[in-house]
Amino acid sequence: MATTSSSARRLPALVLGLAAALVLSGQRVPAAEPHQPGYIWSAYTAIESVFHTELFHQHIRPVDNLLADIKAERLPPVTWVTPRFELSDHPPWNSRYSMNWVTDIVNGIMKTSMWEHTAIFLTWDEWGGFYDHVEPPMADRYTRLGFRVPMLVLSPWAKKGYIDHELGEFTSPLRFISDNWGLDYLTPRIADTHNYESVFDFTRKPRTDSKLLPKVNAAGKPFVFPEDYREWPEDIVPVEDAV
């Protein structure tokens, strides 16, 4: 998530990566804790210069505290969120709980004064299938992009119902963050990617027609391993140790 300061073009950014950086002043990374499934997505645990220094404790926060921090309007300019495994749209957990978790985050932001200055980027690291009829383009000289995945931009500054046909990828939110705060690009790949400028309209006042999102009914409990769902085929048996 990103939120703005005094300038309408400076949007604080909230990046929600289901199944998921740039330690900069004021950034926070809510992530699963070491004893929780999903901790592997806390990317800074793999960066020695962060994990073994005070930077880790300064910037990494338990994702379970995110909703309370939103309600108290304690979010910094940039918040990069990764979920607990149970809320990540991964089987065998009910994906409706991940829907409701994201709904709680978005609704929580919309209820605060931060909403007027915020852009939320919601994306997934995969899309649940095994085929894409569009051949992935090259990202740079050495790397080809993967299958297409969804990206939603939610903000009172976003164009209503707009479909962006520009080519974006997982470094695109970093390009937005860099441009928003006038930071140097960390890599040529970030410099060459889409920055989502086309999805916003800063020539008008922020929209006021945003409505809170409804939640959906979900079977089971979000943090209890699902041993049986009505919808599962009879021969499906989930194994907790495999998670």
Side-chain angles (χ1 to χ4, degrees), residues 15-20 29-32 37-43 63 80-91 95 97-99 101-102 105 121-129 149-150 170:
V15 183
L16 286 168
L18 290 183
V29 184
Y39 180 65
I40 190 174
W41 296 319
S42 180
V63 73
W80 192 288
V81 182
T82 57
R84 289 176 56 166
F85 190 95
E86 300 95 330
L87 302 175
S88 69
D89 271 344
H90 280 87
S95 62
Y97 279 106
S98 61
M99 297 180 200
W101 179 68
V102 172
I105 292 173
F121 298 87
L122 172 61
T123 191
W124 291 253
D125 72 342
E126 55 200 34
W127 65 283
V149 296
F170 291 133

Side-chain angles (χ1 to χ4, degrees), residues 159-180:
K159 299 174 184 177
K160 186 174 182 178
Y162 180 77
I163 298 177
D164 187 8
H165 294 284
E166 297 292 331
L167 177 64
E169 45 130 334
F170 291 133
T171 64
S172 295
L174 298 181
R175 170 68 188 270
F176 172 88
I177 292 169
S178 298
D179 289 348
N180 197 50

Side-chain angles (χ1 to χ4, degrees), residues 187-229:
T187 66
R189 181 165 168 179
I190 294 175
D192 292 339
T193 193
H194 182 37
N195 69 354
Y196 295 112
E197 182 179 9
S198 57
V199 310
F200 298 103
D201 182 359
F202 296 111
T203 64
R204 53 156 178 80
K205 293 182 178 180
R207 286 170 38 202
T208 59
D209 58 346
S210 302
K211 298 180 181 179
L212 297 180
L213 306 173
K215 296 173 70 171
V216 296
N217 294 325
K221 298 180 180 180
F223 299 112
V224 176
F225 187 78
E227 297 182 351
D228 179 60
Y229 284 150

